[in-house]
Structures are given as structure tokens and as C-alpha cells.
């Protein structure tokens, strides 16, 4: 995939700064598959469709609205990206990491990445909310590949604590059910049962097609990262049913009251 284009991400920041002037957001949230409605009770101060943000572009993926929202909650501003771009869309790293770069340029130092996943560990049944403890990158790629850009941190970023352990504890105290290790695959295919058995023996607890690039990039540019996953199905071969994106979204919809509750409590704790 094409490396991050510095000019494009700077242009995007200018556009967002015009649409959201005079704000000092305290937190960034990236809402993944099925999470779009989780902030429906936050006050909206400004909205910007992704299609109007150069370099970000429209997301065509089910369950991803593709809107940037400047919201207010608990007396402070926060920027919420309603929908993400994925590697499997084949666009470029620019569109995948752009939300993080925008947050960074607004002075935000904490980001919550949310997603939908398949449960691998026995206790992570559909409907579980899992605070991501660490990840295994099986994407076969990395957003920092390419000529080193010092704006994005050091050439070889440490990965010992990509997800802040303090923020993970906060998520647990806000109602997340468990912690877990997230393995990211490129997609867009779901995994095979043999892959899931392999991932389980590697130590993975949940599987999805996202989050890892943004977490790597946010960590590299010095942000604190929290990850929260809604387990929406048993991973391939562990349940009785074939996997479909519609079923993933349906489980997320059924879990929405708890997703909303944990998110709201988390926002109040960190703002
Ligand atoms: N695999 C990959 N991505 C997913 C899954 C899954 O089982 N469920 C939701 N997103």
C-alpha cells in the first residue's frame, strides 16, 4: 500500500480546522463497525462528511457512517470519527491513519479505538465488550513502511505498551467485561477455521480486520491508546453459523445499550 502522504494529511487538517474552529478537544474516538450510534446522546457541535476531508474519502463499508463529529460531553469537546477506512479497501495508508493525525494536530493526546470482532477465547461470547490489552499484527503490512518520516516518531518504535494499561483498567472499571489480545487480519475474507486454531495457539483472544494500524500510528506519534472491541460472533469454526457482515452489525445493535454505557462512562472518566 502507498505510504502516508504528508501533504495530503496536512491538507486534511486545514479542512477540519476550518470546519471545527476554536476547539480544544480532550479526547478522540474512532467508531468502528456497528459502533456508529454509540454517541447518539452526545451534543453535536459540528459535522463533516469524510467525502469532504481530502485524503480520507468516503467509506463504503456497512456499519460505517463516514462522518467526523465535533461533540460535547461532560463539559468538554471531543472529536469522533464515525467510521474508519480499512486496509482491505485498498486505498492508501493516508486514509487509514488520517483520523489519528488530525487528532494529534488538534492537540488530542488520548484516543479510543473501537471495533467489532470475532471471539476466539471461550469466555468471549458474542455481546462481550473487551478492552484490548495487546495485538498480534497479521495484516502483513504496517502503516510506517516507507521512507522514515520523523514527524511520525522514531524509525523503530517500541511496541511494549501500545495500549495504555491505565486506560485499559479504566475501560474495565467502566463496564468492559474482560481484557484480551486482538489479532488483526487483512480481510476482506473472514478467517478459515484452521487460521482461527492457529491464532488461538498464538495467544489471540479475538480477531478483526482493523484497529492495529491506527494503534501503531497513534503510539508512534506519542498518543495514549485505548481499544474497545464488541465481540459480535464466534470466530470461524467455533460456532454453528456461517459468518456475515449483517450478523456482525445485528449483534452490535443488540449490544448497543451496553456499548453506549461503557463509552459514556469512559468519556466521563478521561475528560
Ligand atoms: N473476523 C474478522 N473480523 C470480524 C469478525 C471476525 O470473526 N467479526 C467481526 N469482525
Amino acid at each position: 500500500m502507498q505510504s502516508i502522504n504528508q501533504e495530503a494529511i496536512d491538507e486534511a487538517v486545514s479542512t477540519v480546522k476550518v470546519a471545527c474552529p476554536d476547539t480544544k478537544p480532550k479526547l478522540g474516538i474512532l467508531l468502528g463497525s456497528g459502533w456508529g450510534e454509540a454517541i447518539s446522546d452526545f451534543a453535536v457541535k459540528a459535522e463533516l462528511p469524510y467525502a469532504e476531508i481530502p485524503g480520507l474519502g468516503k467509506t463504503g463499508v456497512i456499519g460505517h457512517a463516514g462522518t467526523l463529529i465535533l461533540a460535547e460531553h461532560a463539559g468538554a469537546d471531543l472529536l469522533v470519527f464515525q467510521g474508519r477506512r480499512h486496509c482491505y479497501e485498498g486505498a492508501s495508508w493516508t486514509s487509514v491513519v488520517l483520523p489519528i493525525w488530525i487528532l494529534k494536530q488538534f492537540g488530542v493526546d488520548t484516543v479510543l479505538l473501537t471495533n467489532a470482532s470475532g471471539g476466539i477465547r471461550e469466555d468471549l461470547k458474542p455481546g462481550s465488550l473487551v478492552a484490548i490489552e495487546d495485538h498480534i499484527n497479521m495484516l502483513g503490512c504496517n502503516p510506517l513502511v516507507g521512507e522514515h518520516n520523523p514527524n511520525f516518531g522514531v524509525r523503530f518504535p517500541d511496541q511494549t505498551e501500545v495500549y495504555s494499561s491505565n486506560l485499559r483498567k479504566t475501560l474495565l472499571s467502566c463496564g468492559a467485561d474482560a481484557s484480551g489480545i486482538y489479532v488483526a487480519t487483512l480481510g476482506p475474507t473472514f478467517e478459515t477455521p484452521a487460521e482461527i486454531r492457529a491464532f488461538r495457539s498464538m495467544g489471540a483472544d479475538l480477531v478483526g480486520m482493523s484497529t492495529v494500524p491506527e494503534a501503531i500510528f497513534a503510539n508512534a506519534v506519542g498518543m495514549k491508546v485505548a481499544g474497545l472491541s464488541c465481540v459480535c460472533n464466534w470466530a470461524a469454526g467455533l460456532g454453528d453459523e456461517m459468518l456475515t457482515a449483517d450478523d456482525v452489525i445485528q449483534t452490535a445493535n443488540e449490544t448497543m445499550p451496553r456499548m453506549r454505557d461503557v463509552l459514556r462512562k469512559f468519556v466521563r472518566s478521561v475528560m
Side-chain angles (χ1 to χ4, degrees), residues 117 123-130 177-178 229-232 251 255 258:
S117 62
D123 59 312
L124 301 183
K125 59 180 192 294
S128 304
L129 296 178
V130 182
D177 300 300
S229 187
C230 177
V231 177
C232 287
T251 308
T255 315
R258 289 189 60 232

Side-chain angles (χ1 to χ4, degrees), residues 113 135-137 139 143 163 182-184 210-217:
L113 307 172
H135 69 228
I136 299 172
N137 180 3
L139 295 165
Y163 304 85
Y182 177 86
V183 57
S210 70
T211 307
V212 164
E214 296 100 319
I216 288 174
F217 188 70

Side-chain angles (χ1 to χ4, degrees), residues 4-270:
I4 304 166
N5 179 329
Q6 179 79 60
E7 252 174 57
I9 58 178
D10 288 341
E11 194 188 338
V13 170
S14 308
T15 305
V16 176
K17 287 210 163 158
V18 170
C20 308
D22 308 321
T23 176
K24 281 220 175 308
K26 290 188 84 171
L27 174 71
I29 301 181
L30 217 164
L31 296 175
S33 300
W35 281 85
E37 293 306 309
I39 55 142
S40 55
D41 55 348
F42 289 16
V44 175
K45 294 174 82 175
E47 271 185 279
L48 195 59
Y50 285 5
E52 290 177 23
I53 305 177
L56 190 50
K58 205 165 160 248
T59 157
V61 181
I62 173 177
H64 293 256
T67 312
L68 168 58
I69 295 175
L70 175 62
E72 187 182 341
H73 196 67
D77 285 0
L78 64 158
L79 278 170
V80 183
F81 288 86
Q82 215 176 20
R84 64 155 51 84
R85 304 302 310 272
H86 301 78
C87 296
Y88 63 70
E89 293 176 77
S92 74
W93 283 122
T94 301
S95 55
V96 177
V97 304
L98 192 43
I100 306 299
W101 184 250
I102 291 171
L103 293 174
K104 178 79 184 164
Q105 301 315 305
F106 271 85
V108 175
D109 72 350
T110 301
V111 61
L112 171 66
L113 307 172
T114 66
N115 65 32
S117 62
I120 299 178
R121 202 172 75 204
E122 244 164 50
D123 59 312
L124 301 183
K125 59 180 192 294
S128 304
L129 296 178
V130 182
I132 299 177
E133 182 176 345
D134 200 351
H135 69 228
I136 299 172
N137 180 3
M138 294 297 286
L139 295 165
C141 53
N142 187 304
L144 300 173
V145 165
E147 196 181 324
H148 177 229
N149 182 340
N151 294 337
F152 307 152
V154 297
R155 173 76 286 195
F156 301 107
D158 176 76
Q159 302 289 277
T160 310
E161 193 182 330
V162 175
Y163 304 85
S164 151
S165 98
N166 280 341
L167 291 176
R168 184 171 54 80
K169 286 177 196 147
T170 304
L171 283 168
L172 292 170
S173 70
C174 292
D177 300 300
S179 296
I181 310 295
Y182 177 86
V183 57
T185 63
L186 180 60
T189 49
F190 285 106
E191 301 70 37
T192 65
E195 285 166 341
I196 293 301
R197 287 193 295 275
F199 295 154
R200 173 183 264 168
S201 71
M202 289 163 70
D205 301 317
L206 56 164
V207 58
M209 305 172 195
S210 70
T211 307
V212 164
E214 296 100 319
I216 288 174
F217 188 70
N219 175 253
V221 299
M223 294 172 74
K224 284 179 275 176
V225 180
L228 181 60
S229 187
C230 177
V231 177
C232 287
N233 53 276
W234 287 113
L238 302 181
D240 303 329
E241 303 195 346
M242 308 274 273
L243 306 185
T244 70
D246 287 337
D247 290 343
V248 167
I249 299 299
Q250 192 186 323
T251 308
N253 288 341
E254 286 161 11
T255 315
M256 186 52 71
R258 289 189 60 232
M259 290 153 77
R260 204 174 270 144
D261 190 50
V262 174
L263 201 86
R264 209 188 286 125
K265 287 182 179 147
F266 179 79
V267 169
R268 287 208 193 113
S269 312
V270 298

